[in-house]
Every structure is written in C-alpha cells, then in structure tokens.
Amino acid sequence: MAILDGKVPGGTIEQIWDDHKFHMKLVNPANKRKHKVIVVGTGLAGASAAASLGELGYNVSAFCVHESPRRAHSVAAQGGINSAKNYKNDGDSVYRLFYDTVKGGDFRAREANVYRLAQVSTQIIDHCVAQGVPLAREYGGLLSNRSFGGAQVSRTFYARGQTGQQLLIGAYQAMMRQVDKGQVKLFNRREMLDLVVVNGQARGIVVRNLATGAIESHEADAVILATGGYSNVFFLSTNAMACAVTGAWRAYKRGAYFANPCFTQIHPTCIPVSGELQSKLTLMSESLRNDGRVWVPKTKGDKRPANQIPDSERDYYLERVYPSFGNLAPRDVASRQAKYRVDEGLGVGPTGKAVYLDFRDAIQRLGKKAVQEKYGNLFEMYEKITGENPYETPMRMYPAPHYTMGGLWVDYNLMSNIPGLFVAGEANFSDHGANRLGASALMQGLADGYFVVPYTISNYIASTKIEKVATTHDAFKEAENNVRAQITQLMGIKGNRSVDSFHKQLGHIMWEYCGMARNEKGLTAALTEIPKLRDEFWQNVRIPGDANYVNTELEKANRVADFLEQGELMCLDALERKESCGGHFRDEYQTPDGEAMRDDANFCHVAAWEWGGTANKKPTRHTEELKFENVKLATRSYK
Amino acid sequence: MGGTHSQNINLKLKVWRQKSAKDQGAFVEYDAPNVSTDASFLEMLDQVNEKLVQAGQEPIVFDHDCREGICGSCGFMINGNAHGPQKHTTVCQLHMRQFKDGETLVLEPWRAKAFPVIKDLMVDREAFDRVIKSGGYISVDTGNAQDANNIPVPKPDADEAFASATCIGCGACVASCKNASAMLFVGAKVSHLALLPQGQVERAERVHRMVTQMDAEGFGACTTTGACSAACPKGISLSNIARMNRELLVGTLTKKEAAEGDGI
C-alpha cells in the first residue's frame, strides 16, 4: 500500500491554477503538429478536449462507440450547468461554488481541483454562448438562471430540459470544425478494448471496429480517456445502453488505479421501475424539485388517488426534515429519505416503491402555462412513459443509479498514475467527492476538456521524453492478441444464457447490496455471489453470430465481462470504507436521525485500487490523504 | 407503469433482415407474444431478441442508446411511418399501449441512398456528420469569448434558435421524404446559427458549404410536401427549410456583390 501524491502545486487556493498555468511548459506552435493525442469518447469532456487540442495544433484522433459523436450520453443531461457568474446578484462567487461543491461532496474531493473547477466555470458559459449554444434567456435578452439541489443561489444555466444536448452539440460542432480542418481525425463505431503501455507510458489503444469487427491499433504521444461512468453496473440506471466501464477498466487492468469505486450517485427523481423486462430508467430533471413538492401519505396503505388525499394527511417529508433546503436538499439526502419512506411502507403506486412529486401548488401559483414553459418537455416525456398526465396527477418518482463519482485516479493535472494517460469528465474521480451536486457534471466535463487538459497535456509533452513508437511495436501486438483472445474465448463458450440475463442478475446483486444503503453482511454476501456469477458467465454465456461483423451481443458481452469484475471492486471498496459519506451510506455508521456519519480520523482519504493481476486476486488499496485547509471539515447539514 | 391500465398483447412482426450492406435482405416474420403495454417498443424488441439468442439465432440489430428520445440513435419505419404512429415520439419513447392486440407490424430500415444499410434496421448516417463538418458551426477557439451577457439576444430569436437546435439528427426526415431530402436537417442547423448574433460572420459561407455537401451526399430535392416535419420526433418546423432557401439566395447574392466590390 502506497500513499499517493495528488501533485497539487503550492500556494493559496485562489492562486494555484494561475501560477501553475504560468509554470507549466509549453510546446512550440510549430512542434504541436508533430504530436498526436488520442481522445477516447466524444461526450462533453472528450469532444471539448478534442476540439481544443485540435485548435492548438495537435494531431488528434477521436474515438466514439456511436455512429456519430453527437450521440454520446452527455446529450441526455436535462437540467443545467452551474457557473459562478453571479448574474443574479444573489451572493454567488467562485469561492461559494467551490465551498458548496466541497461540502456537497461530503469532504471527499480534492480542494484544489474543486477550486479550479469553480474558477473556469465562468469561462465555460462565455465559450458556449460564443459557440451559439442557445441557453435560456430572459425577455431583456440576458441569460436566465435557476436554482438547483444543494445550493441556495441561482447559478444554473439551462436550455429548457435539454441542456446536455445543447452543450454537447456545441462541443461536437467545435470538434467537427477541427475535423474539417484536418486537425481531428474521427473514428466512429470504435470501442476501446485495451490500453497500450510502452516503457511505462500510455502510447495507444486497441479498438474493435463495431461496424466491421476489425481489431485496430492506434498510437499517440498521450491518451485521454473520456469514457464516462459505470452506473450500468446496476443494469437498470439512467445511463444509455452503451455506457460502460470498459474503457476505464481495461486501463485499470494495465495498471491505472481506480479511485473510490463505491461512490455512486442514486438520483432521487426517476420514473420508478415497472417490470422485469424494463431496459433502462428515465430521469426527470432535478430542476423539477424547484417547483414540485415531494410527499407520501401519512398513513400506511392509503390507496386513495393522490388528489383525494388532503394536505393534512400528506407528509411533505423533505420540507419537514430539512426546513432550510426543503425540496432542494442534495441528491444523496433526498434519495435516502425516499428510501426511508418506502421502507416504512408509505410508498405509492402499483409497486409501492415510489413517492409523489406534485405540481398542484406550482400550477395554482404560477399558472399551467408558466409550468409548461419551464418543464413542458419533461412532463411530455413522463406521460409517454407512464401514460399519466402530470398536470393532473402527481408524478411518481423513485431513486435510480445515475452518476458515478468514482473513476480512474488522477492527479491535479488529470493524469493517472500511468504517465501519458489522462482521464477527463465522469471517467475520473476528482471533483465531486462522495456526492455530486446537480448541474455540476456538465460543468466538470467541459472544464476538463476545454480548460484543463489542453494545458496539462502540453506540459506533459513538453517535459517528457517520448520516443517514436509504431503500431508494429510488440506492446501493440500483445494488446491486440489479448483482445482477440478474449473475443475468441467469449464466442467459443456457446452456453445457454444471454448476456443480458447475466447483466440483470449482476444488477440485482449490486442494487440489493451496494445501492442506497450498504452493510457489512450484504457486501460480504455480494463478494461471494459476484465471483460465482462471473464464473458462470465465462462458462455459460451464449453469443450467436460472427465476431467479424456487427455483433451487438458480443459488444454487450465485452462490457458485461468488465462489469462482473468492477462490481466486485465496488463492493470491496464499500466494505473497506467503514464510514458513511455522501452517496456511500453504511447502515452501521449513521447519526441517530439517519444521516451519514463520516469518520474523518480514519477515512479522510481517496482509496485508489491497483489491479491484482487476475480477477481472483485481491487488488491493493492505496490512499491519497485529503486536506481541507479552506473549507473546514464539518458535519454537512441541510436542516 | 401506468400500472392500473397495464395489460399484455400479442403481435406479429415482419422485420427486414439484412446480413450486411452487400446482402440483399428480406422480411422475416416473428411472433411477439405477451408484450406488456407498459413496455417501450425497443423493450418489445429486446424480448423478441432474448428469445432469438436463446435459440442460438442472431438478434435483430437496430441502433439505440439513450432510450430517452434525445440521442437520435434509434429510428426505423413501423408500418411505413418513421418512428411509428405517435407524433413527436422517437421509437424508443414509443410505448406498446399505442398498439392493439393481434396487430401485424412491418419494420424496415430508413431507405435512402445516402443512408446505406449496415445490418437489419441499422443504417449509416455519417452523411449528416459530413454536412455538419462543412460549416455547421461557429468558428470560435476555446478561450476567446467575451462575457456571455455582453451580447443580449432577444428572447424570441433565442427561443427560435433553440427550437431549431433541438434536432436530434435521427434521419426520420430523410426517411419520410419521397426524394430522401435532407433539407429539414440542414435547414434546422442553418437556422439555429443564422438566428443568433454569434452566427452572423460566417452566415453566407456556412449555408453555401452545407448545401453543397448535402447535394454531394446524394440527398434528394425538396418538394415541400412537409412529410419530413410531420415525421420529425422533435417537431422541427418546415419554416427551417424556407429560411435555408432564403439564406442561400441572400448568401449567394451578397457573396457575388462582395466579389464584384473586390474588383474580381
């Protein structure tokens, strides 16, 4: 076990990034074109990094699993993006955004990273507007803001319920401009299946061309992974179907450390599960909690239609328990409270696993038209899925896996412990600690891609001896053989069960034992069940068809094979973190009123795991100490 | 969900199966028994595919990802309608309560020269990316921007630009057009950027380049029947095509004037 160094430069928190930018080495403009950078993933972090590096003059190769980079899952983010603009004159500042984010993350993020995130948040909005991103505006023509969970200021910029889509299209168009100029080369329908490390440096990737089945090698001077999060380990989540841990996991198996895998976010407002055949869950933006009120009946088994239950018999439990934040309590807190109500038998709807999110009062106060203007598309989506009209009857909501704060360990420069391997966006672990605040994911993805990685990559390239490497190098051959061998093995099993059936079973284990609440007994059980399931997968999975062309079952099998390993690491991490913090809630460590109880004496650190060499060998737990010199360690309270 | 009204129905499917771009392809019939009306259309296909896999057969291939109607991956024809019968709905958001017990549904890929079939219901829409690459952006490098509130944008313009920008690039417009025209897709992007002050500098050049690329991809001409807009899951308005034509005309004239002014 080693103590990791986050390599945060010295200085006061306000000055660190500016000083660091000055001290970092630069690559001469004429030399940039001699350097190649691989970007894996074209969501907000990947597309913005590819665009910015292309603008700087690097030769960029961008890879996405989709047919088009515009389809990356960032597109689905609804609510908004935070920025410390203080356009509302309501007391916001870079320091307050920094403070809120550190506190919201329950003191498990690196202070200097979070401060930098808050600093560049203002540039992000400027840049996106310049790109033509049509953010919401007031009648005077200036930008509009709204408040979001966990904050008492209105700092969230938005584009109706489609903020992610609009920001992604902005980044995608910026990247396509570089494709047009020949600075970025686009490789679509490619899935990264291995990282190539030469002389200890990340020098390339091996991908499978999903349209032809071909295995291809690509070399570069540095590799950026922007491959998103791993919520799909739960099978049912709000993530898109192709979201996977595979890119990050294959890097982990080549030596990159995986940090805080147990820090997962269960989003409080999602449409509840309806049946076994359901393929995914749909989130309803947190912005709905600005005007919607969350409640359950006060009496168990109250089966009256919601509208017939009078106010006196409703428990608006978030307003009751957290009078100062009310319905805007942070996600982990709101989710846990919903779980408590359902566990108490007060849940609503056919399954009893839901709470109400009610717009009756907002419609009375603001009028139906104003509510429609704000949330129209979300209400429509709800009605399409459930067949119920939320203008007339309250929405039914239940928490669902949504975002993963954990990810590959990176230092202040967003570089992993493998030199030359950078990790951006949700795929890294750095900024959100144990719980992410609403409207912070889009901010972090774009901060990393537009404003951080382009600087730190230049520094790496300028200060590192990087020898010429071709894809004929043995390390590439070895990685290709590794990928081919796994595919051959998977195709050769010819068992009796579909990939999905394994994925669903894993999802049940994860949700049961490593979901909203965890305990030693459950986690220990999961650590026996997962390896068993993994063994069965490798003996009994059935993948029809041919590996040498489009094979969607093979694609899923590659991803589920990784989830079957990563799920185990999540449970191990959750077991060893003997405290509750943010989204990681251990039943054994709670205050008398059911709030998370941190153990700062023993767990004020990042846990970064090192692959043991095989799936059945225990990985090594390294730590990075977290120091809170600006935001003082305190118990989080939203009461 | 909708729990109270949920029921199970039985359907027959006639699905276009095509092994590869070179294969000829044909319809194959499948039973889809016991489909919950709460399931989405793609979940119904998941159910059919699970059975095919169990039987050692290749599942029906279709593009899909977010299943929330926003990524634009999914889309095929159901009984001749792009994304099926429900207005303003992608096939992933289409739910089985829209269908009746005993119905036969015919599933076909988008048919357009510019969208070759890759496999079954999966087509290649890279032509759209190449059109965006040809000017569908505002040229601003990272780090150059002034304060976002320095240029006020009238709310009606911002809202209209947003409405055009909500296009998800699914290709339903092309698939629904008898000429396989991409004018709604291209018009939406031209409008989005032409309506904003930030998009003015490149306005004439942008529309010219994008239309040239659109033609080069083999998309057909527009005869303003409005089939595209009617099929669009995001309700992109036909007025985007009118604006694109106007932009092209004005752009061509101003370019000519500028050229003459330079004494060329």
Side-chain angles (χ1 to χ4, degrees):
Chain A
M1 190 191 123
I3 305 289
L4 299 174
D5 179 6
K7 298 200 181 79
V8 177
T12 60
I13 195 97
E14 293 85 357
Q15 279 304 315
I16 292 175
W17 180 234
D18 287 343
D19 288 350
H20 190 52
K21 276 198 286 189
F22 177 72
H23 289 114
M24 280 192 286
K25 289 194 176 146
L26 301 172
V27 178
N28 180 304
N31 285 338
K32 287 198 179 97
R33 75 178 106 88
K34 297 177 195 157
H35 295 285
K36 191 168 150 190
V37 180
I38 281 173
V39 182
V40 189
T42 59
L44 286 178
S48 59
S52 303
L53 290 165
E55 289 160 11
L56 287 171
Y58 291 106
N59 273 309
V60 180
S61 295
F63 296 80
C64 64
V65 289
H66 299 93
E67 150 223 47
S68 165
R70 66 180 292 156
R71 311 213 189 281
H73 189 54
S74 303
V75 80
Q78 297 169 356
I81 176 165
N82 284 333
S83 174
K85 280 290 196 184
N86 194 29
Y87 281 160
K88 288 283 181 185
N89 195 31
D90 59 356
D92 200 10
S93 62
V94 167
Y95 201 90
R96 187 176 296 280
L97 175 54
F98 157 67
Y99 177 90
D100 286 352
T101 308
V102 169
K103 178 186 164 198
D106 215 356
F107 301 90
R108 291 294 175 265
R110 196 188 282 141
E111 268 195 340
N113 285 56
V114 180
Y115 194 87
R116 174 178 62 193
L117 175 68
Q119 266 178 310
V120 302
S121 73
T122 57
Q123 281 173 281
I124 293 172
I125 297 302
D126 297 340
H127 184 54
C128 292
V129 166
Q131 285 176 331
V133 173
L135 294 172
R137 287 177 185 271
E138 309 285 357
Y139 281 97
L142 301 182
L143 292 161
S144 175
N145 290 117
R146 58 187 175 198
S147 60
F148 239 64
Q152 286 177 316
V153 292
S154 286
R155 63 160 74 99
T156 305
F157 293 76
Y158 62 100
R160 208 165 296 177
Q162 283 144 272
T163 318
Q165 180 201 25
Q166 295 307 317
L167 294 172
L168 181 68
I169 288 175
Y172 156 74
Q173 287 174 186
M175 183 176 75
M176 294 312 283
R177 172 171 164 245
Q178 296 306 312
V179 174
D180 193 25
K181 289 184 164 183
Q183 290 297 130
V184 174
K185 206 164 169 212
L186 189 61
F187 296 89
N188 65 347
R189 292 197 195 272
R190 304 299 207 287
E191 183 153 28
M192 171 186 159
L193 293 177
D194 213 344
L195 176 76
V196 181
V197 181
V198 180
N199 298 329
Q201 296 172 335
R203 295 305 305 273
I205 57 172
V206 173
V207 298
R208 180 167 181 270
N209 183 328
L210 304 182
T212 66
I215 304 300
E216 306 166 353
S217 280
H218 297 266
E219 99 293 345
D221 295 335
V223 176
I224 301 172
L225 294 191
T227 47
Y230 49 87
S231 293
N232 274 348
V233 71
F234 292 100
F235 182 70
L236 281 182
S237 84
T238 66
N239 280 192
M241 306 306 282
C243 291
V245 77
T246 291
W249 197 250
R250 303 286 167 112
Y252 168 72
K253 291 172 85 166
R254 289 286 175 187
Y257 296 164
F258 208 110
N260 298 336
C262 79
F263 287 174
T264 54
Q265 178 161 80
I266 314 290
H267 193 289
T269 52
C270 301
I271 301 179
V273 179
S274 66
E276 264 302 298
L277 295 169
Q278 198 157 350
S279 60
K280 80 154 306 208
L281 296 173
T282 302
L283 180 139
M284 289 279 114
S285 167
E286 178 164 87
S287 62
L288 292 171
R289 287 199 278 144
N290 274 323
D291 289 303
R293 299 177 70 194
V294 180
W295 64 276
V296 290
K298 280 185 179 165
T299 328
K300 263 190 222 179
D302 189 339
K303 291 286 170 206
R304 285 176 291 176
N307 293 338
Q308 289 172 23
I309 302 179
D311 259 359
S312 59
E313 293 173 49
R314 298 176 175 196
D315 178 14
Y316 292 96
Y317 58 87
L318 286 177
E319 298 170 28
R320 172 173 58 82
V321 183
Y322 306 103
S324 69
F325 278 72
N327 292 298
L328 290 176
R331 291 176 175 177
D332 54 339
V333 172
S335 290
R336 210 141 48 228
Q337 288 293 336
K339 179 184 189 298
Y340 290 157
R341 299 297 92 78
V342 166
D343 290 350
E344 287 159 11
L346 295 165
V348 301
T351 60
K353 287 191 173 169
V355 299
Y356 286 128
L357 179 64
D358 199 338
F359 287 86
R360 184 197 63 184
D361 296 349
I363 291 169
Q364 271 169 17
R365 181 166 45 94
L366 307 165
K368 188 177 166 185
K369 195 163 172 272
V371 171
Q372 201 166 11
E373 169 92 356
K374 272 179 161 170
Y375 309 114
N377 65 325
L378 298 172
F379 278 37
E380 261 175 47
M381 198 198 285
Y382 182 85
E383 186 168 1
K384 270 176 201 157
I385 293 171
T386 64
E388 290 177 356
N389 179 353
Y391 292 103
E392 286 160 12
T393 176
M395 290 181 170
R396 280 174 294 113
M397 293 283 139
Y398 200 62
H402 171 58
Y403 186 90
T404 51
M405 286 75 69
L408 291 180
W409 184 86
V410 288
D411 63 15
Y412 183 70
N413 293 313
L414 302 186
M415 188 164 87
S416 71
N417 57 303
I418 300 178
L421 178 68
F422 291 77
V423 191
E426 191 178 351
N428 75 27
F429 87 103
S430 68
D431 294 1
H432 306 297
N435 172 58
R436 181 176 65 73
L437 291 180
S440 288
L442 304 185
M443 172 172 68
Q444 186 225 333
L446 291 180
D448 289 0
Y450 283 133
F451 296 109
V452 180
V453 157
Y455 286 89
T456 58
I457 278 227
S458 288
N459 182 46
Y460 170 76
I461 290 173
S463 56
T464 312
K465 188 168 167 49
I466 303 170
E467 282 171 20
K468 258 204 131 30
V469 161
T471 52
T472 47
H473 189 281
D474 283 350
F476 281 91
K477 294 294 144 211
E478 189 266 328
E480 278 187 27
N481 290 339
N482 178 37
V483 166
R484 284 202 184 90
Q486 173 161 340
I487 290 172
T488 308
Q489 192 184 349
L490 283 167
M491 296 302 295
I493 298 167
K494 298 187 194 304
N496 295 314
R497 286 181 63 182
S498 69
V499 178
D500 279 356
S501 76
F502 285 102
H503 195 176
K504 280 183 193 180
Q505 198 179 336
L506 174 67
H508 281 301
I509 298 172
M510 297 306 294
W511 183 242
E512 185 63 28
Y513 299 124
C514 202
M516 271 191 284
R518 300 139 180 201
N519 58 52
E520 188 178 338
K521 190 167 159 248
L523 291 166
T524 312
L527 287 170
T528 341
E529 286 182 31
I530 297 168
K532 262 196 240 159
L533 184 64
R534 186 169 62 229
D535 286 349
E536 198 201 333
F537 173 85
W538 283 102
Q539 282 161 22
N540 200 22
V541 73
R542 168 175 251 174
I543 305 164
D546 188 345
N548 297 319
Y549 195 60
V550 176
N551 189 327
T552 48
E553 291 299 307
L554 175 61
E555 291 168 25
K556 288 194 279 188
N558 268 318
R559 295 169 196 154
V560 172
D562 293 333
F563 280 135
L564 282 164
E565 292 174 356
Q566 195 246 351
E568 185 182 7
L569 184 69
M570 267 174 74
C571 293
L572 187 61
D573 188 46
L575 183 66
E576 303 236 339
R577 188 170 280 278
K578 296 181 175 60
E579 65 162 351
S580 294
C581 55
H584 169 63
F585 192 81
R586 284 281 301 263
D587 292 331
E588 303 95 321
Y589 311 103
Q590 54 179 307
T591 62
D593 51 355
E595 303 291 341
M597 198 161 73
R598 290 199 322 264
D599 177 356
D600 292 329
N602 294 301
F603 290 96
C604 195
H605 61 232
V606 177
W609 296 86
E610 181 182 0
W611 172 243
T614 68
N616 296 321
K617 198 167 164 234
K618 196 179 170 187
T620 311
R621 187 179 192 266
H622 303 291
T623 56
E624 178 200 337
E625 295 307 316
L626 293 170
K627 290 195 190 80
F628 293 89
E629 289 164 348
N630 296 279
V631 186
K632 291 278 165 278
L633 278 166
T635 301
R636 239 174 20 142
S637 172
Y638 293 94
K639 292 198 170 173
Chain B
M1 236 137 311
T4 44
H5 315 292
S6 170
Q7 52 167 331
N8 283 2
I9 55 174
N10 300 302
L11 299 166
K12 277 208 185 313
L13 306 179
K14 285 171 98 171
V15 184
W16 185 260
R17 301 300 305 261
Q18 183 174 339
K19 279 188 179 345
S20 69
K22 287 175 196 147
D23 182 53
Q24 217 175 4
F27 282 106
V28 178
E29 288 194 27
Y30 299 96
D31 282 320
N34 268 325
V35 176
S36 163
T37 50
D38 282 342
S40 70
F41 201 91
L42 299 187
E43 284 166 354
M44 181 275 291
L45 285 183
D46 289 344
Q47 211 177 318
V48 172
N49 277 344
E50 174 72 26
K51 283 214 183 110
L52 289 176
V53 173
Q54 290 289 340
Q57 295 175 39
E58 284 199 60
I60 300 159
V61 171
F62 52 90
D63 259 321
H64 66 105
D65 198 28
C66 78
R67 298 201 174 192
E68 291 184 19
I70 193 76
C71 75
S73 297
C74 70
F76 43 79
M77 308 298 276
I78 303 172
N79 291 348
N81 297 312
H83 291 295
Q86 195 179 7
K87 210 168 159 56
H88 297 169
T89 306
T90 55
V91 75
C92 66
Q93 289 286 285
L94 180 65
H95 279 66
M96 298 313 292
R97 63 182 75 91
Q98 301 294 328
F99 300 94
K100 290 191 191 71
D101 188 42
E103 264 191 271
T104 298
L105 307 178
V106 181
L107 275 49
E108 263 187 287
W110 293 160
R111 302 284 188 196
K113 188 176 137 201
F115 290 166
V117 172
I118 296 174
K119 189 172 181 175
D120 299 341
L121 304 175
M122 178 190 270
V123 299
D124 174 354
R125 289 166 288 190
E126 286 170 39
F128 273 4
D129 285 328
R130 289 189 292 268
V131 171
I132 297 297
K133 173 176 91 87
S134 308
Y137 47 73
I138 289 170
S139 296
V140 52
D141 286 355
T142 307
N144 282 278
Q146 58 181 325
D147 187 273
N149 260 350
N150 276 4
I151 308 175
V153 181
K155 187 165 161 46
D157 291 351
D159 286 350
E160 209 180 341
F162 171 78
S164 299
T166 57
C167 166
I168 58 174
C170 66
C173 47
V174 174
S176 305
C177 175
K178 59 181 177 170
N179 301 328
S181 165
M183 298 270 269
L184 192 67
F185 171 80
V186 183
K189 187 47 63 192
V190 167
S191 294
H192 162 206
L193 301 174
L195 281 160
L196 295 170
Q198 291 84 359
Q200 297 310 307
V201 174
E202 296 164 291
R203 197 168 162 179
E205 180 70 13
R206 176 184 308 121
V207 65
H208 174 74
R209 285 192 63 205
M210 288 181 77
V211 169
T212 306
Q213 186 62 37
M214 173 182 85
D215 292 341
E217 295 292 346
F219 291 111
C222 173
T223 48
T224 49
T225 64
C228 52
S229 183
C232 175
K234 296 293 148 183
I236 302 287
S237 152
L238 210 54
S239 65
N240 286 284
I241 296 182
R243 185 178 292 102
M244 184 181 91
N245 286 330
R246 199 161 62 235
E247 290 287 319
L248 191 62
L249 181 67
V250 173
T252 310
L253 291 175
T254 46
K255 266 183 84 172
K256 215 173 146 200
E257 273 169 25
E260 281 163 0
D262 288 344
I264 299 166

